[in-house]
Amino acid sequence: MSAPDTHFAVPDASASPPEPPAGALVASASAPGVSDLDQGASDDGPAQADVQDAPEAMPIQADEEWWELTMAWAGKTYELKVGGNDLIFDFRTRIEQLTSVPADGQKLIGLVRGKLPPSADGERFSTLGLKKALKFTMVGTPADERVRAPPRAETDDFDVTYPTRPAREMAPHAHVAPMVQDGKTRYGVTPAEDPRNIRLVRQLVTHRKVDVMNPPREGKRLLVLDLDYTIVDTRPMIDGALPSVECARPGLHDFLASVYPYYDIVIWSQTKWTWLETKLVELGLVGEERPYKICFVADKKTMFPIIGFRDGESYHHEIKPLSFLWQQFPQWSAKNTIHIDDLARNFAMNPGEGLRIRAFKGAGTEQGAADAELFRLGPYLVNIATTCDDFTLLDHGKWKVRASEVMRAQAEERMQAVARPERMAADGEGVGSAVVIAPSEELGTSRDAEGLEGEAAVDEPLAVDEDGIQATAAATSEPTSATSEPADKGDADRAN
């Protein structure tokens, strides 16, 4: 007896680039997507830890080969198309999608000698050395028919940074950069260059469409915001320890109002849609009258995992590929997009567009009430929107340095305004105008600077009085300077 049709034609080898079968190692339009499986870290409470540099991906095949495999299981047969640049992790995931047998319960007979240990997940499928047309048997019990074991610990306890430059820039005389890893010399590529990841993005674009809540506005930049521990302390919200509105990061709504004239706002969270929608409503981000609007929301189904190695063991974590959005909305690109998250690993395919902020886990405490990240971040985002036409020239790793200068200038302007009210009244000048600070060599304009260098130096309380900081937040929420980019009248009408 044959299983339902899972067979797809092999792509034309002469095509450039070769287009893989629509269902190869990911679900077809009628099947669960690769991100439906909770393979990665949860947003429900990852511990904040030291950020580590990530090793590059495993070597790739320039001319990718394809395998046609026949798997027998429970009296049925399944035809699988597997690309040489796919990972063994993808292969196991596809089997789980077809049979509901979890990867840790799959016994593959006739595929390779011995077992495929979890540490092999990060290897390319081509390294198995299999025959192109091979039959094998899978033995295993579906998850809902067996006693559920405790879930395997994933990567919640650490963060990862990825290189901002492609491999060809790091090794200009070679296509990829060599490295020694686990005693072997490997030639890897960055996640953005990995053909496996590029293929998965294409398949996401095909099978996962964005449901727009408020249409993108012409000429606006794109601000992608993580939810859990970036703009809300999730744990007390989940446990019911605090009302949802008290779990929001201090200054959240004022922050969103201040950046809305310059950016369309998108929320992207590694959370299932039903729970994500509940969070947004309880926080008052949607369903209430606000001076800002959320363009759309992306959930965990628009993410997929990538593999790395640490201490000889493979690990995997989910990522948020911005190209998934850019391919559906061509008005946005690396030049006008910024992604805010508390985990740098989510920037794996777009490290140059990522800005990592400190995780917020202090709701309901005195320390949490004093959190000032969003009060710093708002002025930074407004400033770069009004002074920089190409965000790829910026080094977001030094954002706090620039934010400090902007806020200090705004505080000084405010104090001068208070000191000379008669002159300002005669001249008709405003009090809360946005201050423009152009990119400088001192602040860093290279994407190749080391990650978050300099953040610790500016993580201490700013040398600005409390009134100055609060005044800055108010000033950026409604820019009045001639150098700022005003919201068009339609925006104001829609906001009201």
Side-chain angles (χ1 to χ4, degrees):
M1 178 179 179
S2 296
D5 183 17
T6 59
H7 187 281
F8 297 86
V10 178
D12 180 2
S14 63
S16 178
E19 185 66 25
L25 295 188
V26 295
S28 64
S30 60
V34 70
S35 294
D36 288 355
L37 306 173
D38 191 12
Q39 300 288 356
S42 169
D43 266 355
D44 289 343
Q48 187 73 11
D50 293 337
V51 179
Q52 304 181 23
D53 289 334
E56 296 174 14
M58 292 296 295
I60 62 172
Q61 289 185 325
D63 297 321
E64 189 171 16
E65 300 177 274
W66 291 85
W67 278 257
E68 301 181 28
L69 307 178
T70 301
M71 180 184 74
W73 174 74
K76 299 179 181 179
T77 59
Y78 299 84
E79 304 295 325
L80 302 174
K81 301 285 188 181
V82 188
N85 286 326
D86 286 316
L87 303 177
I88 293 174
F89 171 85
D90 301 326
F91 178 62
R92 297 187 206 263
T93 299
R94 180 57 176 157
I95 293 176
E96 182 172 354
Q97 291 172 340
L98 293 173
T99 65
S100 297
V101 177
D104 61 0
Q106 299 169 5
K107 185 176 182 180
L108 307 178
I109 302 173
L111 186 70
V112 296
R113 292 184 180 181
K115 296 182 178 180
L116 282 176
S119 60
D121 278 356
E123 300 284 344
R124 303 286 181 185
F125 192 82
S126 60
T127 63
L128 294 179
L130 303 180
K131 296 179 180 179
K132 292 299 176 58
L134 182 67
K135 296 181 179 180
F136 68 98
T137 300
M138 193 274 287
V139 177
T141 304
D144 58 357
E145 297 178 16
R146 69 176 187 172
V147 177
R148 189 176 299 276
R152 176 184 171 190
E154 297 297 342
T155 60
D156 299 27
D157 61 342
F158 75 101
D159 201 5
V160 183
T161 59
Y162 287 85
T164 59
R165 292 178 293 173
R168 60 179 172 273
E169 292 184 18
M170 293 183 285
H173 301 296
H175 175 65
V176 292
M179 62 181 177
V180 177
Q181 189 179 80
D182 302 334
K184 302 177 182 178
T185 298
R186 305 183 188 275
Y187 291 83
V189 292
T190 60
E193 295 179 312
D194 193 323
R196 175 257 188 186
N197 298 338
I198 294 172
R199 176 160 61 237
L200 290 180
V201 171
R202 286 202 303 264
Q203 291 170 335
L204 279 177
V205 172
T206 300
H207 300 302
R208 303 288 181 192
K209 297 300 181 183
V210 169
D211 292 325
V212 175
M213 301 164 61
N214 294 287
R217 299 163 296 160
E218 184 177 356
K220 302 303 178 184
R221 296 157 183 82
L222 173 62
L223 171 61
V224 178
L225 280 174
D226 175 48
L227 183 69
D228 296 332
Y229 304 106
T230 295
I231 60 175
V232 63
D233 186 354
T234 308
R235 179 52 59 191
M237 189 176 183
I238 294 175
D239 296 341
L242 290 172
S244 296
V245 293
E246 295 183 19
C247 297
R249 194 163 205 155
L252 173 60
H253 296 294
D254 288 340
F255 162 73
L256 294 175
S258 73
V259 300
Y260 184 68
Y262 310 94
Y263 298 86
D264 281 324
I265 303 170
V266 169
I267 305 294
W268 198 344
S269 176
Q270 189 178 321
T271 305
K272 291 183 178 179
W273 170 250
T274 52
W275 175 228
L276 176 56
E277 184 178 30
T278 300
K279 291 180 183 178
L280 296 176
V281 172
E282 291 182 355
L283 288 170
L285 295 177
V286 298
E288 295 187 16
E289 288 297 323
R290 297 284 184 187
Y292 61 83
K293 294 182 183 296
I294 305 300
C295 186
F296 58 85
V297 176
D299 65 1
K300 66 177 297 180
K301 292 183 179 180
T302 58
M303 302 173 64
F304 59 82
I306 63 173
I307 309 294
F309 287 86
R310 184 177 63 161
D311 300 328
E313 296 292 330
S314 66
Y315 62 83
H316 59 271
H317 62 83
E318 304 280 339
I319 64 172
K320 301 174 182 178
L322 293 177
S323 55
F324 167 69
L325 305 180
W326 296 338
Q327 291 183 37
Q328 299 185 66
F329 301 92
Q331 70 268 35
W332 293 324
S333 68
K335 291 186 175 183
N336 59 5
T337 300
I338 186 168
H339 177 187
I340 313 297
D341 209 302
D342 66 303
L343 293 172
R345 69 191 189 204
N346 287 327
F347 309 145
M349 288 190 71
N350 309 97
E353 287 68 64
L355 186 156
R356 185 177 72 92
I357 66 173
R358 185 173 54 242
F360 176 61
K361 298 183 179 180
T365 69
E366 184 176 342
Q367 180 181 6
D371 183 278
E373 289 288 271
L374 296 184
F375 293 102
R376 295 184 178 103
L377 185 60
Y380 175 77
L381 293 180
V382 171
N383 182 260
I384 65 173
T386 56
T387 63
C388 185
D389 294 329
D390 185 354
F391 285 2
T392 65
L393 302 177
L394 298 170
D395 174 16
H396 297 310
K398 298 180 180 179
W399 73 273
K400 287 187 178 179
V401 175
R402 186 165 181 167
S404 297
E405 293 202 5
V406 172
M407 296 173 69
R408 186 174 296 110
Q410 290 175 329
E412 291 175 355
E413 180 182 324
R414 178 176 177 273
M415 289 186 289
Q416 292 174 4
V418 172
R420 46 192 176 94
E422 294 182 0
R423 177 180 174 184
M424 292 195 65
D427 295 343
E429 298 177 5
V431 177
S433 57
V435 176
V436 175
I437 296 182
S440 68
E441 183 177 351
E442 179 182 355
L443 297 181
T445 57
S446 170
R447 295 157 64 92
D448 301 333
E450 296 180 4
L452 298 169
E453 177 183 321
E455 179 171 338
V458 293
D459 221 17
E460 298 299 324
L462 297 174
V464 180
D465 64 288
E466 183 176 358
D467 291 338
I469 293 179
Q470 294 176 350
T472 299
T476 55
S477 64
E478 188 175 350
T480 58
S481 171
T483 56
S484 300
E485 177 183 322
D488 57 80
K489 183 177 185 300
D491 294 339
D493 293 340
R494 287 191 291 272
N496 294 326

